[in-house]
């Protein structure tokens, strides 16, 4: 094991880099000086949000509500029901219907990460309090949670890799929730007991994040009450949050205060707890409220914005509920002055009494996250017109490369000044090595080790090795030993956020790069794209060296870094061959993704193409795909390999380069060096 090239503090370098990049984007934010200025900002902001939230259906489908049971109680009833938000996507829900005062104000209650989702005692308590105060309440399960989870049970979780798998198809989990909540508002408006002109939305934690976004987006919500959720997007950097809270690219175009400002001049109450996490803290919430307040003032609606602070931990407890009751009475009924209203006595129900399917016997027509993602992926891929001759493919490939770099990866800093800090040289029995730190852009170190077989002289074919486990793992592979034995020079990298710059505590819920991948998506430059830039910068470095045969530069990637190597090779003509070990074969899967890094899941990647189409961008250059895996990280057999990459093979044949492409479950070490060279 070589000694580290960077000090231990380098583990914070990736986070510091992301913070510096995003703060620079927001440095010129200013309050709008007039309503006209705000309207222009608002139009632009809504356009950016529409892209970030993802693809909403052009036309809403039938709600097709079905009541599954009713609990009659003194002064109100609770209904168990389902309704449809998209074709085949069913929302499990409860309505709490008061026996008096119809039509009455309607409240959408969205849960956070409570163990039982919508029927958990925490969201259930506020629904009971509201219905006893005369409000019609609709409580819904979020996509992938509660009774909409793959396997409904206490503590189900829709985040991490499951949530990230929605990114490539252009429907991030937050956008799915927003659209579900819009359809929930449609359902509320359809009920005769509800006054559709007096709707509110509230929730805490992840439910508070839904509240803020749905309340900002859908102007039918006249009162918006996010609880223990408002802070700043900047404060999410350095924290671990659920994928459902991630707004792709947000820090490239807005801070959280701008989202709050979209509520103006409607009513907004932000509830904060004194002992909450930093990203939801009183101080961070105050920053966003301060950003939003000038917009409320432009509408002379300063009294419609309120910040309530409760001495508490992360919760939606009775003092918070009573603050919400008072605010809704003031804003929806014109009663009181918005100060807390005492909670009536509530009698909680058993969890199973509220569930739509207590025995988990859901209809087979229910689309769960994996099936939904598969349908969306197939829809996107069916819309692609495949080239029928070489000239058409070459024209398509040019557009795809531009789309991949600029729209999917968020652009590369091609004007950035790259630097290299040499560290040391050493020699062993069979190899010599040179260590250095590459800076693909200011403030982001990428340590590298160049290893050369001693018995070779002159410019050598050189392979850039990329492994998510870091440079030492890359050099320890059998492929690295085989390439050295075949006379190759190797440059192994610690891609940013890996190896020596891997952030501490990065692994969450089975995803080893959970936080670094999320921070990158917040920034609008997905981690996979940043890895591509690291690899391209390494190609620049080796291509300029006298000891490198610039006509024999190869990329060798493993796992998620294999996809990065394929994309980098597609964007750099100086790369003569790419070898991908253990790469995901396709984003189309009816099974949940398991065992993959979150860096693999890039927002809107399928707008450019699935893995086989991206791989085809290398034609007619050499491409080896060795041991590709499926969604659950299972190796494909020979027949499945051929089927998965049939499109890649077709395009190589069209380019009269079929001998340059090979996909195989295994490749013998003895032929690897020659196979990479082609």
């Amino acid at each position: 094991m070589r000694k580290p090239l960077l000090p231990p503090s380098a583990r914070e370098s990736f986070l510091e880099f992301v913070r510096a990049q995003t703060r620079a984007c927001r440095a010129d934010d200013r309050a709008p000086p007039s309503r006209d200025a705000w309207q222009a900002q608002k139009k632009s902001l809504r356009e950016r949000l529409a892209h970030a939230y993802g693809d909403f259906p052009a036309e809403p489908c039938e709600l097709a509500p079905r009541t599954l049971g009713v609990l009659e109680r003194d002064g109100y009833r609770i209904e168990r029901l389902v309704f449809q938000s998209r074709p085949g996507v069913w929302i499990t829900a409860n309505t709490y219907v008061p026996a008096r005062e119809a039509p009455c104000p309607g409240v959408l209650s969205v849960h956070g990460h409570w163990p039982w989702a919508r029927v958990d005692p925490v969201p259930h308590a506020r629904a009971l309090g509201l219905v006893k105060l005369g409000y019609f309440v609709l409580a819904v399960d979020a996509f992938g949670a509660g009774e909409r989870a793959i396997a409904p049970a206490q503590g189900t979780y829709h985040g991490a890799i499951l949530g990230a798998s929605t990114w490539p198809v252009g429907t991030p989990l937050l956008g799915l929730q927003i659209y579900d909540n819009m359809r929930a508002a449609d359902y509320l408006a359809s009920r005769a007991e509800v006054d559709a002109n007096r709707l509110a939305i509230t929730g805490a934690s992840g439910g508070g994040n839904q509240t803020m976004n749905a309340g900002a987006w859908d102007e039918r919500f006249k009162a918006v009450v996010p609880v223990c959720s408002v802070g700043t997007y900047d404060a999410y950097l350095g924290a671990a949050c659920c994928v459902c809270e991630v707004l792709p690219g947000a820090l490239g175009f807005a801070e959280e205060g701008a989202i709050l400002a979209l509520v103006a001049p409607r009513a907004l109450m932000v509830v904060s707890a004194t002992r909450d996490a930093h990203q939801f803290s009183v101080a961070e919430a105050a920053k966003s409220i301060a950003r939003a307040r000038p917009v409320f003032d432009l509408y002379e609606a300063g009294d419609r914005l309120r910040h309530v602070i409760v001495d508490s931990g992360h919760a939606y407890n009775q003092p918070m509920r009573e603050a919400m009751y008072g605010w809704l009475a003031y804003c929806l009924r014109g009663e009181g002055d918005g100060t807390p209203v005492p909670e009536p006595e509530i009698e909680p129900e058993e969890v199973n009494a509220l569930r739509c399917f207590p025995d988990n016997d859901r209809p087979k027509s229910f689309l769960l996250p994996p099936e939904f993602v598969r349908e969306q992926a197939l829809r996107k891929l069916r819309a692609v017109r495949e080239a029928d001759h070489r000239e058409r493919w070459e024209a398509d490939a040019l557009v795809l490369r531009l789309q991949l770099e600029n729209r999917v990866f968020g652009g590369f800093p091609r004007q950035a000044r790259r630097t290299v800090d040499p560290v040391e040289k050493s020699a062993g029995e069979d190899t010599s090595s040179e260590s250095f730190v590459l800076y693909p852009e200011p403030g982001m170190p990428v340590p590298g080790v160049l290893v050369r077989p001693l018995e070779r002289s002159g410019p050598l074919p050189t392979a850039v090795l990329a492994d998510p486990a870091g440079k030492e793992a890359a050099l320890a592979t059998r492929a690295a030993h085989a390439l050295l034995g075949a006379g190759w020079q190797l440059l192994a990298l610690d891609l940013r956020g890996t190896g020596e710059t891997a952030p501490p505590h990065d692994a969450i819920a089975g995803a080893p790069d959970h936080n670094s991948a999320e921070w990158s998506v917040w920034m609008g430059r997905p981690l996979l794209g940043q890895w591509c830039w690291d690899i391209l910068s390494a190609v620049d470095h080796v291509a300029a060296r006298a000891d490198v045969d610039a006509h024999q530069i190869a990329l060798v990637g493993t796992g998620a870094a294999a996809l990065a190597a394929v994309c980098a090779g597609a964007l750099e003509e100086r790369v003569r061959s790419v070898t991908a070990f253990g790469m995901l074969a396709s984003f189309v899967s009816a099974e949940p993704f398991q065992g993959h890094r979150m860096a693999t899941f890039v927002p809107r990647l399928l707008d450019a193409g699935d893995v086989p189409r991206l791989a085809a961008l290398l034609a007619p250059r050499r491409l080896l795909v060795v041991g590709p895996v499926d969604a659950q990280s299972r190796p494909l057999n020979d027949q499945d390999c051929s089927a998965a990459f049939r499109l890649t093979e077709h395009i190589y044949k069209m380019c009269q380069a079929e001998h340059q492409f090979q996909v195989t479950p295994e490749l013998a070490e003895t032929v690897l060096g020659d196979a990479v060279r082609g």
Side-chain angles (χ1 to χ4, degrees):
M1 177 69 71
R2 295 173 178 82
K3 68 180 183 181
L5 307 183
L6 298 169
S9 60
R11 296 196 68 189
E12 301 291 342
S13 59
F14 180 71
L15 175 57
E16 292 170 359
F17 168 77
V18 173
R19 280 177 170 155
Q21 294 282 306
T22 56
R23 287 173 181 172
C25 288
R26 307 269 46 84
D28 294 331
D29 283 355
R30 298 289 183 273
S34 65
R35 284 197 198 180
D36 287 345
W38 167 243
Q39 287 300 320
Q41 286 186 23
K42 180 178 178 179
K43 181 176 183 294
S44 174
L45 179 56
R46 286 184 66 90
E47 288 172 354
R48 300 293 294 270
L49 283 173
H51 182 78
Y53 289 152
D55 301 329
F56 290 170
E59 295 292 335
C61 68
E62 291 293 327
L63 289 168
R66 287 184 286 158
T67 301
L68 305 176
V70 178
L71 300 174
E72 295 287 354
R73 297 295 182 259
D74 185 19
Y76 65 94
R77 70 179 185 273
I78 303 174
E79 300 169 341
R80 296 182 286 115
L81 75 148
V82 295
F83 61 92
Q84 193 174 218
S85 64
R86 301 171 187 245
V89 178
W90 293 88
I91 297 176
T92 44
N94 296 109
T95 59
Y96 297 72
V97 187
R100 58 187 174 86
E101 198 181 332
C104 59
V107 181
L108 176 59
S109 174
V110 286
H111 64 82
H113 298 98
W114 312 113
W116 282 109
R118 81 177 195 282
V119 299
D120 189 87
V122 174
H124 177 52
R126 66 174 171 267
L128 287 175
L130 283 164
V131 74
K132 286 207 162 193
L133 290 168
Y135 296 88
F136 183 109
V137 183
L138 174 63
V140 296
D141 276 333
F143 194 54
E147 293 191 88
R148 302 174 71 191
I150 294 174
Q154 186 177 18
T156 55
Y157 185 51
H158 57 189
I161 294 170
L162 178 64
S165 69
T166 65
W167 289 344
V169 297
T171 53
L173 198 51
L174 177 58
L176 288 168
Q177 292 174 341
I178 301 310
Y179 189 71
D180 278 356
N181 293 335
M182 292 166 62
R183 299 314 315 277
D186 290 342
Y187 178 75
L188 281 168
S190 74
R191 293 288 297 245
E193 304 96 331
V194 175
D195 180 350
N197 294 314
R198 293 188 291 164
L199 299 184
I201 182 171
T202 189
S205 191
N209 191 63
Q210 290 186 60
T211 296
M212 176 181 69
N213 282 276
W217 185 256
D218 192 330
E219 296 183 351
R220 289 176 295 177
F221 293 115
K222 304 306 181 187
V224 180
V225 187
V227 176
C228 287
S229 60
V230 172
T232 59
Y233 291 150
D234 180 75
Y236 273 115
L237 305 178
C241 66
C242 180
V243 169
C244 74
E245 297 172 69
V246 177
L247 180 58
L251 277 166
F253 63 86
E255 246 298 352
E256 200 162 324
I259 312 302
L260 296 179
L262 288 173
V263 178
R266 294 170 289 130
L268 171 64
M269 172 185 277
V270 173
V271 181
S272 301
T274 56
R275 301 190 300 278
D276 211 335
H278 172 65
Q279 66 268 32
F280 308 135
S281 65
V282 171
E284 293 301 305
K287 293 177 185 177
S288 289
I289 292 168
R291 287 172 181 254
R293 188 167 295 282
V295 177
F296 278 82
D297 289 342
L298 287 175
Y299 288 96
E300 299 179 350
D303 63 329
R304 310 292 279 182
L305 174 60
R306 189 167 297 184
H307 190 193
V308 172
I309 300 168
V310 177
D311 185 13
S312 166
H314 194 72
Y316 203 146
N317 54 32
Q318 185 171 342
M320 296 171 176
R321 297 194 298 268
E322 292 178 339
M324 177 265 293
Y325 302 149
W327 187 245
L328 297 192
Y330 174 59
C331 300
L332 299 184
R333 286 182 159 146
E335 299 173 358
D337 59 2
T339 55
V341 166
E343 184 169 75
E345 184 178 349
I346 58 177
E347 302 166 16
E349 305 286 344
E350 292 292 329
V351 164
N352 272 347
L354 298 169
R355 297 179 70 197
C356 293
F357 306 103
D359 55 2
N360 291 340
D361 187 22
R362 293 174 301 198
K364 296 187 183 301
S365 60
F366 267 45
L367 275 183
L368 302 176
E371 293 91 346
F372 173 78
V373 168
R374 180 177 183 274
E375 280 202 359
Q376 294 298 301
L378 289 173
R379 179 181 62 82
K380 280 193 177 284
L381 297 178
R382 282 194 294 266
V384 175
R385 181 189 63 179
E386 293 300 344
D388 54 3
H389 55 84
R390 180 171 182 169
E391 291 75 15
R392 167 58 65 186
W393 167 249
E394 289 174 347
D396 288 348
L398 179 62
V399 173
L400 282 175
R401 290 186 181 101
L402 291 172
Q403 185 177 21
L404 186 63
E405 177 177 341
N406 297 312
R407 295 184 60 187
V408 177
F409 289 155
F412 293 152
R414 292 193 176 273
Q415 305 306 314
R417 179 173 171 267
R418 302 185 194 90
T419 59
V420 179
D421 290 347
V423 178
E424 63 178 9
K425 296 181 179 181
S426 61
E429 292 184 6
D430 303 314
T431 61
S432 63
S433 65
E434 177 183 338
S435 300
F436 56 86
V437 179
L438 176 68
Y439 287 84
E441 47 194 308
M444 190 63 250
V446 173
V449 177
L450 188 73
V451 181
R452 180 184 180 92
L454 280 177
E455 71 275 10
R456 302 283 178 162
S457 60
L460 295 183
T462 301
V464 177
L465 308 185
D467 190 307
K471 59 185 181 301
E472 299 300 331
L475 289 170
T477 60
R478 290 185 296 172
H481 291 299
L483 286 169
L484 281 172
W488 284 76
Q489 183 172 230
L490 308 179
L491 170 56
L493 301 174
D494 277 348
L495 300 171
R496 66 183 69 187
T498 75
E500 293 187 51
T501 63
H505 315 298
D506 204 16
I508 302 287
D513 57 344
H514 181 279
N515 296 340
S516 53
E518 283 193 343
W519 303 337
S520 299
V521 171
W522 277 110
M523 180 170 62
R525 290 182 58 194
L527 189 55
L528 190 80
Q530 294 184 68
W531 286 355
C532 285
W533 183 242
D534 293 343
I535 293 168
L536 293 175
S537 299
V539 170
D540 277 346
H541 174 70
V542 298
R545 292 176 64 106
D547 58 356
V548 171
D549 180 353
H551 300 290
Q552 289 289 335
I553 296 176
L555 305 180
V556 179
T558 303
L563 184 55
V566 165
C567 293
L571 297 171
E572 177 51 76
E573 290 290 337
R574 289 175 297 179
V575 172
R576 302 314 304 160
S577 78
V578 174
T579 303
F581 288 96
M583 180 173 68
L584 175 66
S586 174
F587 288 98
V588 181
S589 173
E591 294 183 291
F593 287 83
Q594 293 182 357
H596 295 276
R597 285 185 169 249
M598 274 177 52
T600 307
F601 303 101
V602 176
R604 294 188 179 271
L605 181 61
L606 287 185
D607 287 358
D610 198 8
V611 176
R613 196 162 192 247
L614 298 174
L617 291 172
L618 286 155
R621 292 169 288 151
R622 183 67 170 156
L623 172 60
L624 292 174
V625 179
V626 183
V629 300
D630 68 8
Q632 297 204 313
S633 299
R634 297 172 299 212
L636 303 186
N637 60 33
D638 190 66
Q639 183 177 354
D640 290 340
C641 282
S642 297
F645 287 90
R646 189 171 289 120
L647 173 64
T648 315
E649 182 181 22
H650 168 69
I651 291 173
Y652 266 82
K653 284 182 178 178
M654 200 159 52
C655 295
Q656 299 181 333
E658 55 265 40
H659 60 288
Q660 290 287 72
F661 171 65
Q662 183 179 359
V663 56
T664 177
E666 296 181 274
L667 192 66
E669 291 180 35
T670 53
V671 302
L672 183 60
D674 290 336
V676 171
R677 184 180 281 108

